[in-house]
């Protein structure tokens, strides 16, 4: 059982997620794999792929934030569900837009 002081105060009144806990953990694993792939792309000087992958990961994180419990999300549950989802969706969408519209600089 999680100590009450470690719970997200913004999500105390929310009902538990209907998604099984195992699927919630798998979703977080997918997010971490996408973030790792983005880092690998950036170290390989594939900045457009890295930006696109990280943007997709952020959009995935916004879906996770809406559908997973705060206790499972851990450090990814910063504010309320709506705010976190809107913020990560905006950042992810902006990153996808930038990766699609910025010229490839001859590559």
């Amino acid at each position: 059982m999680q100590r009450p002081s470690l719970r997200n105060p913004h999500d105390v009144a929310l009902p538990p997620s209907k998604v099984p806990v195992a699927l919630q953990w798998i979703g977080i694993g997918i997010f971490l794999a996408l973030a790792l792939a983005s880092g690998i792309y950036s170290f390989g000087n594939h900045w457009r792929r890295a930006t696109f992958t990280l943007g997709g990961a952020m959009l995935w994180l916004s879906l996770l934030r809406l559908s997973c419990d705060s206790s499972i999300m851990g450090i990814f549950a910063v504010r309320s569900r709506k705010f976190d989802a809107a913020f990560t969706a905006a950042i992810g969408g902006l990153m996808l837009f930038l990766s699609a519209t910025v010229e490839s600089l001859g590559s």
Side-chain angles (χ1 to χ4, degrees):
M1 182 73 184
Q2 192 178 26
R3 293 190 327 217
S5 63
L6 297 178
R7 291 186 186 155
N8 187 339
H10 301 285
D11 294 343
V12 170
L14 292 176
S17 176
K18 294 180 181 179
V19 178
V21 174
L23 287 179
Q24 293 180 39
W25 282 111
I26 289 170
I28 291 173
I30 291 170
F31 167 74
L32 293 174
L34 287 170
L36 178 65
S38 174
I40 291 169
Y41 281 140
S42 71
F43 282 122
N45 289 327
H46 298 287
W47 63 270
R48 290 183 83 185
R49 289 180 191 166
T51 306
F52 183 82
T53 306
L54 190 57
M58 293 297 285
L59 288 176
W60 179 251
L61 183 62
S62 69
L63 292 175
L64 286 177
R65 184 63 180 111
L66 288 173
S67 61
C68 294
D69 292 322
S70 293
S71 60
I72 301 292
M73 293 298 294
I75 63 170
F76 299 117
V78 179
R79 299 281 181 191
S80 68
R81 278 187 182 175
K82 291 179 184 178
F83 178 83
D84 287 347
F87 181 76
T88 55
I91 296 297
L94 181 63
M95 291 182 80
L96 287 176
F97 175 76
L98 288 174
S99 69
T101 58
V102 173
E103 259 189 68
S104 62
L105 302 173
S107 60

